[in-house]
Amino acid sequence: GKGSDFSTMVADSLLPLLREAVAVDQSEQRAIILRSDKSVPIENVVELMDVVSRLNDELEADGKETYKVALATEGK
């Protein structure tokens, strides 16, 4: 359901990691590529997108470039 413990947990653990990654990112393309296989529930992917949009809000507030999210699905 909404506001599940899982998504809070994911956001809390992922955001700091993403902030660190962004801080050292020298790439031209501001992109985060999600590689997920078919077994990953779409809810999880959506929660990751939410985390990235929170990150983008912070970056925008700091006048920094925001990130696009690309989905790379690996189907056999």
Side-chain angles (χ1 to χ4, degrees), residues 4-65:
S4 68
D5 294 338
F6 176 73
S7 59
T8 313
M9 233 166 52
V10 169
D12 288 348
S13 52
L14 260 183
L15 257 178
L17 292 174
L18 283 174
R19 284 190 197 113
E20 284 173 38
V22 164
V24 297
D25 181 13
Q26 300 297 317
S27 68
E28 286 295 300
Q29 281 193 308
R30 295 292 188 197
I32 293 170
I33 300 177
L34 293 179
R35 293 183 196 286
S36 78
D37 76 40
K38 296 273 191 281
S39 66
V40 176
I42 191 70
E43 292 82 42
N44 294 15
V45 176
V46 171
E47 306 196 313
L48 285 170
M49 303 277 215
D50 283 347
V51 172
V52 174
S53 83
R54 279 163 71 174
L55 178 78
N56 279 335
D57 289 344
E58 293 176 7
L59 289 171
E60 224 168 8
D62 286 343
K64 298 194 176 90
E65 271 189 278

